[in-house]
Amino acid sequence: MLDIALSAEPIWPDATDWEAIATRAATAALAATAYGALSDAAAMVEISIRLTDDAEVQALNRDYRQKDKPTNVLSFPMIAPDLLDTVANTDDGEVLLGDIVLAYGICAAEAQDKGITLHDHATHLIVHGTLHLLGYDHQGQAEAEAMEQIERDVLAALGIADPYLNDHANED
């Protein structure tokens, strides 16, 4: 069973049901991959999602990635990709898949620049972060295209427009 442990700083709009958004996004991302069965596994599979400010994300980015600047989303997988297939068979009944951290200021500015809601942008970033927890990456062009296609498919199923449409429009 999938469990989303959400914590949110008060700077994130409290009128929004962030827990429902996070659960919906992570569940949909998981279902779109070869690891979809983890949603219904006998083990409790947990994803921790933290909605915080730019300063906290900058500190994490500096301390863990040696990049002293804020970013929109960070993912911290707790399970090596080659061991993900064994997660559903765990004996202890509980598995922490990993942590996802979003920075409010960066997310809000990006949403405004893209002309989309914060809700939709955060959903995309949680989908993106969940895929990172599952071993997906975007270091090379082929990996990036594969990961982005999963994101497009998941977001389309959630009723959210392609977040990369305008990003790639001027590449030719």
Side-chain angles (χ1 to χ4, degrees):
M1 175 189 327
L2 181 63
D3 179 50
I4 304 301
L6 180 90
S7 66
E9 288 297 314
I11 123 180
W12 286 79
D14 61 354
T16 303
D17 187 350
W18 293 112
E19 189 165 349
I21 290 167
T23 299
R24 185 173 172 241
T27 301
L30 196 59
T33 71
Y35 306 106
L38 290 176
S39 291
D40 299 321
M44 176 65 70
V45 178
E46 182 179 310
I47 296 174
S48 171
I49 299 176
R50 176 137 175 84
L51 306 178
T52 191
D53 60 25
D54 293 5
E56 183 176 335
V57 171
Q58 180 171 351
L60 291 168
N61 205 20
R62 179 192 63 232
D63 294 349
Y64 291 96
R65 298 180 66 228
Q66 290 68 56
K67 295 181 180 185
D68 194 8
K69 61 182 184 176
T71 188
N72 55 10
V73 62
L74 291 171
S75 299
F76 298 98
M78 299 296 174
I79 300 172
D82 60 331
L83 297 177
L84 283 167
D85 289 329
T86 66
V87 168
N89 301 322
T90 184
D91 289 340
D92 67 6
E94 231 175 271
V95 176
L96 177 58
L97 198 56
D99 301 321
I100 300 170
V101 186
L102 277 69
Y104 177 76
I106 299 288
C107 292
E110 288 176 347
Q112 184 174 16
D113 288 347
K114 293 175 181 270
I116 61 175
T117 66
L118 178 60
H119 163 278
D120 285 355
H121 191 48
T123 299
H124 172 220
L125 295 175
I126 293 167
V127 167
H128 184 88
T130 301
L131 293 177
H132 276 308
L133 298 184
L134 298 171
Y136 291 87
D137 211 339
H138 44 83
Q139 295 301 313
Q141 184 174 348
E143 284 182 327
E145 288 173 6
M147 185 172 175
E148 287 176 10
Q149 190 57 55
I150 295 170
E151 291 174 44
R152 285 184 186 99
D153 293 344
V154 169
L155 294 170
L158 297 174
I160 297 174
D162 180 348
Y164 297 108
L165 189 60
N166 293 327
D167 291 351
H168 298 306
N170 298 320
E171 287 183 356
D172 295 330

